[in-house]
Amino acid sequence: FQVSQARLLNGLPGTGVYSGPGITASGTFDPSKAGVGPHTIRYTFTATNGCINYAEQPLTVYPAPVIDAGPDRFVLEGGNTVLLATGTGNGLSYVWAPSTGLNNPAIIQPTATPTDDITYTLTATSADGCVSTDEVFVKVLKTPTIPNTFSPNGDGIHDQWEIKYLNTYPGCTVDIYNRYGQLVFHSNGYTKPWDGTLNGNPLPAGTYYYIINPKNGRKQMSGFVDIIR
């Protein structure tokens, strides 16, 4: 903020300058340069006749809250997770925004039950009026939708085994076997859907069996998928 100038009661011409911790050449006070604690700012006036006088103004810099909204979280669709925020400061009060899906937006570690991906912002205000903010992202892991057929014939329609939402599960695994129990496809993560090939060669039409482990708290899934050509 700009320090208010001292009034000159004698009306003498001259120049004035501010001094003290955190004071810039233009007379602006920077709390970050002054540091936390009490300080005294001085305004010194030197008249053209050589006389000098000064006025002082005490002020106190209060510490800003130190907060961390916690690590980003994953939550299964329909489930919940606790936001692991932390904070230190003088008499802190908390507000989360938006409040969507939170059991109590005025506590530091609320339980979140969002229905879609969301970013929450935590604002902490100290008893001194100082404010700090931080954000946390919550990823909602929706139930994978697994089709039981696809047709990798190059017509641009259902050419890959698209499993909706599975690519959002970190560390998931997909294993596919033919009817003889031979592993024909394995994937860590599912960013590239299976195209019905083995070592680049098209597999014959028929029924194949899968084991999908989404991890992240969701149970393993198994079943069959038919390649139609």
Side-chain angles (χ1 to χ4, degrees):
F1 61 88
Q2 190 77 23
V3 179
S4 59
Q5 291 193 358
R7 298 190 175 200
L8 305 178
L9 300 179
N10 55 16
L12 294 176
T15 58
V17 62
Y18 290 98
S19 62
I23 290 293
T24 66
S26 63
T28 299
F29 177 71
D30 185 343
S32 66
K33 295 184 182 300
V36 173
H39 303 288
T40 299
I41 304 305
R42 175 176 289 191
Y43 180 76
T44 303
F45 183 81
T46 303
T48 54
N49 64 6
C51 294
I52 298 175
N53 202 351
Y54 67 86
E56 293 182 333
Q57 176 179 326
L59 53 82
T60 300
V61 176
Y62 297 112
V66 178
I67 62 169
D68 183 348
D72 291 345
R73 306 291 280 164
F74 292 92
V75 59
L76 296 182
E77 184 178 24
N80 58 66
T81 186
V82 175
L83 304 183
L84 301 177
T86 58
T88 58
N90 179 25
L92 299 185
S93 60
Y94 303 98
V95 175
W96 290 91
S99 60
T100 306
L102 299 180
N103 68 326
N104 187 342
I107 62 175
I108 190 170
Q109 293 189 342
T111 298
T113 312
T115 56
D116 292 291
D117 296 352
I118 190 169
T119 297
Y120 290 109
T121 299
L122 172 62
T123 299
T125 304
S126 73
D128 308 309
C130 298
V131 176
S132 293
T133 63
D134 196 23
E135 294 182 344
V136 62
F137 176 71
V138 179
K139 178 72 177 177
V140 177
L141 300 176
K142 298 195 174 184
T143 304
T145 303
I146 306 175
N148 56 17
T149 63
F150 73 112
S151 55
N153 53 17
D155 65 356
I157 302 174
H158 304 306
D159 282 335
Q160 295 179 318
W161 192 38
E162 300 279 356
I163 303 175
K164 194 173 183 180
Y165 304 126
L166 187 59
N167 66 316
T168 66
Y169 284 74
C172 72
T173 59
V174 179
D175 292 291
I176 303 173
Y177 302 86
N178 62 19
R179 61 179 179 170
Y180 304 108
Q182 177 189 4
L183 181 67
V184 297
F185 177 83
H186 171 77
S187 176
N188 287 310
Y190 202 63
T191 56
K192 184 178 181 181
W194 183 41
D195 60 0
T197 65
L198 173 61
N199 298 324
N201 299 311
L203 288 165
T207 300
Y208 295 81
Y209 303 90
Y210 65 80
I211 298 175
I212 297 174
N213 189 350
K215 302 182 180 179
N216 300 282
R218 194 173 291 282
K219 293 181 180 180
Q220 182 173 285
M221 298 176 287
S222 61
F224 69 89
V225 56
D226 289 332
I227 292 180
I228 301 174
R229 295 192 185 278

